[in-house]
Each structure stands twice: as structure tokens, then as C-alpha cells.
Amino acid sequence: MRRALIRRGRRWLYVIHRWIGIVTCLLFAMWFVSGIVMMYVAFPQLTNRERVMALPAIAWDRVLVTPDRAMTSAGVASYPRDLRLMMLDDIPVYRLVEWNGAHKTISAMDGRLIDGITSEQALAIASHHPGAVHPQMIGTITRDQWSVTARYDSLRPLFLVSLGDREGTELYISARTGELALDTTRRERIWNWLGSIPHWIYPTVLRRDGAAWRQVVLWISGICIVVAVTGFWIGILRLRWRRRYARGTVTPYRGWMAWHHIAGLIGGIFVLTWIFSGWLSLNPGEYFAARGPTENMAVRYAGHEAPRIIASFRSTPPPGAVEARFVWIGGRPLMMLTDREGHQTAAGPENGVATMLSDDEIFAAARRLLPDAAMTTHLRLQEFDAYWYSHHNERALPVLRVGFDDAARSWFYIDPRNGDVLGRIDDSRRTYRWLFNALHSLDFPLLLRYRPAWDIVMWLLSLTGMIVSASGIVIGWRRLRLTQNS
């Protein structure tokens, strides 16, 4: 009876792997090829550096409205997520982001709410970009392949403008607020059709519905995990180290089957962990916590639930600033000035005079982030640690790290230049870092420290995965042909 059950179990093991594998082997091959492309070409996004480089210098003499009045005009009485002063072509404006994600633009000249711009204004905005040669309007879009995600919903529709440069740069400018939302280059647009789009199963028709896309990827990844587990299991069952097969080999197979068997054993764990970690990236069950501070944390850190900014622009701040961001840290209002190179200077909003923001002041404000827990660590990091590192995204150094003794053992990373809370990590995010970033992208500190080592390991493992996938495609094709002819 026991032997019969084992034989039946093995038979189903082979059946499941064979027939589901035939369906999914193309997906595996696609993931390995596209993953290599993604190592060097990321999905288009607008970095903060690119954003500020496209802004003209603030015309301080035209700023007649204070931040307080701008918030009143926007109908905001409590602490906003973000409040900045910058230029909309030749008009100084305040850009305000609420905690629900709504974007509002208020004229700094007369306090009116700006709820739309013209195509001519969009071209004028694009002309300030350092790469602008001959800006031309391509058209107005609601959503396309590069602006498909929900992060752009509050800015839609979008003007699409070509800069006419050699790189084929195209800008996405919000028709509602005049903000630069995204930029893409020809290189990014071409390579992402071989990289992120197939890897993330990212066609616009599917990705426009975030919930549906998430379920599709979860189910596809889950099925592929079954294929990887059954394949690795079969590979171990068919392997003989001591009592070898008739030809003295450890595998009973020849040709493509032998390649599939041996490569699957060598790269099987990697294939399984890659698929599993990719599945985890969608946060099934909402286990992993958010990465940023909550609204309540931000309000406590600011030190005032309904903060006021008493600003006077009669004494002109240092020249060259393209953006002034208004923040509150521990009850102290500050104006963070940024130039086109991304350099930041803290200034007093009441007079525009440069001021200093000390680490101790930031640490004192940070104690309020979690009022029911005690701060256990506070230090300045001059080098990256295992959880704050620059690989796929640019990250600031030096950075302040504060830790608390709450149940989740929370850490916060804070920029000492401006007091921004850059990230939050707790036990669930630390688990995510090792289960996703480490397993999926091989973001191990040793490999990242010696970058060529990371590339070599990724290439070798990806090539092994390609051999497994390509051999599986050939075997599956032969099996289908044999079934059709029988």
C-alpha cells in the first residue's frame, strides 16, 4: 500500500512538472533574459536631480503670497505632506501635496488656485530643461506605457513634449498643475520592452488596473513556484552519486534532458528563490510594513499639527535657488533652498538668511516619532549599512539613524542636511530586505562592495537559468509534437 502511494505520488509529481512546465517554460526564459536587461536599464522615472535641473531660478521679487496664505487658498489647515515654492515658467507658484495624494498649485503672485495650463505653457516649461533643443508638442495623453501606474493619477492628463535632443528625451508635464511628472529617453523606451515590461508583466492594458495586475502576477508566480519545486524534487530523485547509471553518469538522461536535469540541479535553488522572492515583492497578505513615516509620525516630528510659516521675501535669499521647500522640525519652521545642481541650504523663512540644522536638533525632534517607545540608538552613518545602501536607487550619505525599543524595533533614516525622514524600517521590512532584495537582486553587502563580483554572479546564475529554460522549451515542444502524432 505504501509503495503504491509512493508510486502514485511520483507519477503525479512528474505529470504536474511536465505539463505545467510546458506552459511556463517560456515565462522562465523571458524572466531570465529580461532580468539581465534590467541590471543595466531601469524603468523610466524622474529622479529628484533631473527634476530640479529642469527648473528656472525663483523670481523672488514676484513672490507676493506667503506660505500661510497659500495653504489657506488650497483649503489646507493641517500639516501637509509637502509644500514647495518654485517657478511655473515665469510664474512663481506654491506646490502643495496633501496626505491623500492630491496635488494643488497656488499662484505666489495673487493666491489663486491654478487648475490647468495650456499647451503653450507646457512648451515653455519644457524649454527650461537643460537638454531642450527644439521642444515640440507630441500630444495630450491620459495614460501610456511609461505613465501607467497610479502615482500619476493626481497629475493626469499629461502633455507629452519632445525636447528634440539626440537622446530622444520626452517629457510628461501635468496639464492640471504644470509639474514635470516624468522623463524618458529613446534608450529607456527601447530597452524596457526587453526588460521591465516583460519581466513585470507590465502591458498597459493590464497594469492600468493595479488590483487585477497584482492578482495576475501573484497567480503566475505561484504556479511557477510549483514548477520550480517539483522540478528540483524530481532532479534530486533522479540523481545518482554512488550507484550510477549504466554509462557511469549521475543522470539517466541524454541530450537536452541531461542539460535540463543538471542545470536544473545547479541553478534550481536560485530559480526557486528568484520566483519566490518575486512573488513576495507584491506583499501578499499585506505582511510587510510601509517604508515611509505615517501622517501621525510626520505631524509629531514637525512639532505642530497646524503649522504656520511666517515668511518674508523682502530680503532676497541667496541667488540661484530653483526651489524652496518649507518644513517644520520639532516646531521650528525652515526653508530648504535647492539649486540646479541639487545642493541644499537651510534658511530661515522669515528673512531668507542661511542657518544651520544640527544633528542634536534632529534627534530631539525624532524622539517624537514614536512617543510610546524610547529611543535606543542615534548615530550618524558615514557609510552604508545592510539596510541603507545605494544600488538600484540613489541614497544620501551621510545619514542619521535612530532606533526605538518598540515591538517592531523600528529604525528611521534621516537626512542631516534638511531633516527629511528618508525611510523607516522595522522587523517586517528587515525580513523583506533579505527575502526580496537579497534573494531576488542578490543585494548582499559583500557583492555590492565589489560591484564586478555582483555582475559576474548575476550573469552566471542567469545563464544557468536560461539553460534550464531553453532546454525545457525544447523538451516541451518535443513532448507536444509526440502527443499530436500519437
Side-chain angles (χ1 to χ4, degrees):
M1 181 68 177
R2 181 171 176 271
R3 289 183 177 179
L5 288 174
I6 292 175
R7 284 197 299 269
R8 183 176 298 175
R10 285 193 176 186
R11 178 176 176 274
W12 277 107
L13 186 68
Y14 282 84
V15 169
I16 290 171
H17 181 72
R18 177 182 300 151
W19 293 109
I20 301 181
I22 288 174
V23 176
T24 58
C25 57
L26 288 171
L27 282 172
F28 279 100
M30 175 195 71
W31 277 328
F32 283 108
V33 173
S34 59
I36 289 180
V37 174
M38 290 176 65
M39 288 167 58
Y40 306 104
V41 184
F43 194 77
Q45 62 176 329
L46 182 71
T47 66
N48 188 62
R49 183 174 178 80
E50 291 171 335
R51 184 183 64 80
V52 297
M53 285 179 64
L55 292 173
I58 297 174
W60 296 100
D61 59 329
R62 305 186 69 186
V63 180
L64 305 178
V65 174
T66 64
D68 277 3
R69 184 180 163 195
M71 286 192 288
T72 301
S73 297
V76 175
S78 60
Y79 187 77
R81 174 176 285 181
D82 197 52
L83 177 62
R84 302 171 190 251
L85 172 68
M86 63 187 71
M87 299 298 290
L88 194 164
D89 186 25
D90 59 349
I91 304 171
V93 296
Y94 288 97
R95 297 202 186 279
L96 188 146
V97 182
E98 299 185 68
W99 284 96
N100 61 6
H103 287 238
K104 294 181 179 179
T105 301
I106 302 95
S107 169
M109 297 176 64
D110 55 21
R112 65 186 173 86
L113 191 66
I114 298 174
D115 57 3
I117 66 168
T118 65
S119 58
E120 289 76 16
Q121 285 178 299
L123 286 172
I125 292 168
S127 68
H128 295 288
H129 193 283
V133 176
H134 183 57
Q136 289 187 320
M137 180 63 61
I138 297 175
T140 306
I141 63 169
T142 300
R143 190 186 308 265
D144 69 357
Q145 184 63 64
W146 317 116
S147 61
V148 67
T149 59
R151 74 177 65 177
Y152 303 107
D153 286 353
S154 61
L155 302 174
R156 306 184 198 278
L158 303 165
F159 287 119
L160 184 58
V161 180
S162 170
L163 292 185
D165 59 345
R166 294 177 59 184
E167 290 75 24
T169 305
E170 294 177 358
L171 304 183
Y172 292 70
I173 299 171
S174 171
R176 293 179 57 188
T177 67
E179 294 176 65
L180 176 58
L182 176 67
D183 64 349
T184 70
T185 64
R186 185 183 301 107
R187 175 176 176 268
E188 289 175 331
R189 293 190 295 272
I190 292 174
W191 280 106
N192 268 277
W193 285 104
L194 301 175
S196 299
I197 294 173
H199 196 84
W200 294 338
I201 312 177
Y202 231 55
T204 306
V205 66
L206 176 62
R207 186 59 184 88
R208 66 193 308 163
D209 186 338
W213 169 80
R214 185 172 180 273
Q215 288 301 315
V216 167
V217 177
L218 278 172
W219 277 99
I220 290 177
S221 301
I223 292 170
C224 288
I225 290 173
V226 173
V227 174
V229 169
T230 55
F232 195 66
W233 192 352
I234 292 170
I236 293 174
L237 291 175
R238 300 296 285 164
L239 187 68
R240 289 186 184 178
W241 284 110
R242 295 182 179 178
R243 192 167 54 88
R244 300 198 174 191
Y245 292 95
R247 293 174 288 109
T249 61
V250 297
T251 177
Y253 305 114
R254 296 184 180 182
W256 284 104
M257 285 290 290
W259 280 103
H260 191 69
H261 185 200
I262 300 303
L265 284 171
I266 294 173
I269 291 295
F270 170 67
V271 173
L272 178 57
T273 56
W274 200 346
I275 298 299
F276 174 69
S277 57
W279 181 74
L280 279 182
S281 70
L282 295 168
N283 198 8
E286 304 296 329
Y287 171 76
F288 302 108
R291 287 175 288 188
T294 64
E295 180 179 359
N296 288 335
M297 290 177 184
V299 170
R300 289 193 295 265
Y301 180 65
H304 204 306
E305 186 173 353
R308 299 188 64 195
I309 289 284
I310 306 301
S312 172
F313 303 112
R314 293 178 182 176
S315 54
T316 305
V322 299
E323 179 179 85
R325 188 162 57 89
F326 300 94
V327 299
W328 298 262
I329 299 174
R332 178 187 178 188
L334 289 168
M335 181 169 63
M336 297 298 172
L337 303 173
T338 305
D339 64 19
R340 263 199 165 191
E341 299 302 317
H343 302 133
Q344 292 191 348
T345 304
E350 70 284 349
N351 54 24
V353 176
T355 186
M356 293 294 294
L357 183 63
S358 69
D359 290 1
D360 289 340
E361 188 175 356
I362 294 174
F363 289 140
R367 294 180 186 277
R368 307 177 185 180
L369 286 166
L370 296 177
D372 297 327
M375 183 186 291
T376 55
T377 59
H378 59 279
L379 64 158
R380 173 183 279 246
L381 299 180
Q382 299 291 348
E383 297 181 353
F384 294 118
D385 64 13
Y387 302 98
W388 184 261
Y389 58 93
S390 181
H391 183 201
H392 311 285
N393 299 299
E394 293 183 10
R395 282 183 168 167
L397 271 183
V399 68
L400 306 182
R401 190 182 77 193
V402 298
F404 293 85
D405 66 355
D406 60 313
R409 296 188 302 153
S410 300
W411 291 355
F412 293 85
Y413 291 91
I414 303 174
D415 192 332
R417 299 173 303 167
N418 52 31
D420 285 353
V421 179
L422 301 174
R424 171 168 62 105
I425 188 168
D426 59 10
D427 282 338
S428 73
R429 294 305 304 185
R430 278 185 279 270
T431 301
Y432 181 84
R433 184 262 182 269
W434 296 111
L435 290 182
F436 175 69
N437 298 103
L439 295 183
H440 201 75
S441 302
L442 298 190
D443 283 355
F444 294 100
L446 183 62
L447 291 178
L448 296 181
R449 196 173 299 124
Y450 304 101
R451 175 58 196 268
W454 179 83
D455 293 79
I456 291 169
V457 172
M458 286 292 289
W459 270 93
L460 288 175
L461 292 175
S462 297
L463 289 173
T464 303
M466 288 180 201
I467 293 173
V468 177
S469 305
S471 57
I473 292 171
V474 174
I475 294 166
W477 175 251
R478 289 176 176 176
R479 172 64 64 174
L480 289 174
R481 289 183 63 187
L482 184 64
T483 304
Q484 288 177 345
N485 295 332
S486 61

